[in-house]
Amino acid sequence: GDYVTFDFKPPQAWLKERYDRESRIHTKMVSGTEGNTIHADADLNLTICRSEDETAPHIPTTDCWSVGQVRTADSKGRPMASWVPAGQQYTLQRGELWVFGPNPRSLDSRYQGPIRSEIVKGKASPIWLFGIH
């Protein structure tokens, strides 16, 4: 649930071609860490699951949460591809983070895949202002 800031350097050619101008910094929420498994259903709805309680690994549990649906086209109608193909899954390896933006148009791990923890520049905190006139 932490928010992290990192340089946007997508490995996919289609993302680089469209979005990798100068230096672009992203801030996204960490939705998955080492050992979590990302599942893509037939409609490209992505779910992350933790398969055991980290505090009591001998007690099997399964916790899952949604990390959005993959869009198949961007706002200009150009095709987009899911990093985890439909009907498949991927388990995050040591040092990998799955980042997510709640906006359906967010460029996040749904498209670029996991990021390496080494590229994280820092944590961010949302600021909420109430009653300011």
Side-chain angles (χ1 to χ4, degrees), residues 24-102:
R24 195 179 257 213
I25 296 178
H26 279 192
T27 300
K28 305 290 180 189
M29 181 174 61
V30 176
S31 296
T33 58
E34 175 184 336
N36 294 158
T37 301
I38 297 90
H39 303 268
D41 71 11
D43 295 322
L44 293 175
N45 293 298
L46 299 183
T47 305
I48 295 182
C49 295
R50 178 179 57 219
S51 61
E52 64 181 33
D53 184 339
E54 294 160 358
T55 61
H58 59 284
I59 302 171
T61 63
T62 303
D63 294 325
C64 297
W65 53 96
S66 172
V67 285
Q69 183 175 30
V70 175
R71 294 168 41 115
T72 56
D74 67 13
S75 60
K76 295 182 180 179
R78 298 174 294 191
M80 296 178 74
S82 177
W83 193 82
V84 178
Q88 294 189 28
Q89 65 183 30
Y90 177 78
T91 300
L92 293 169
Q93 304 301 305
R94 181 179 306 240
E96 291 183 327
L97 302 172
W98 191 267
V99 295
F100 174 71

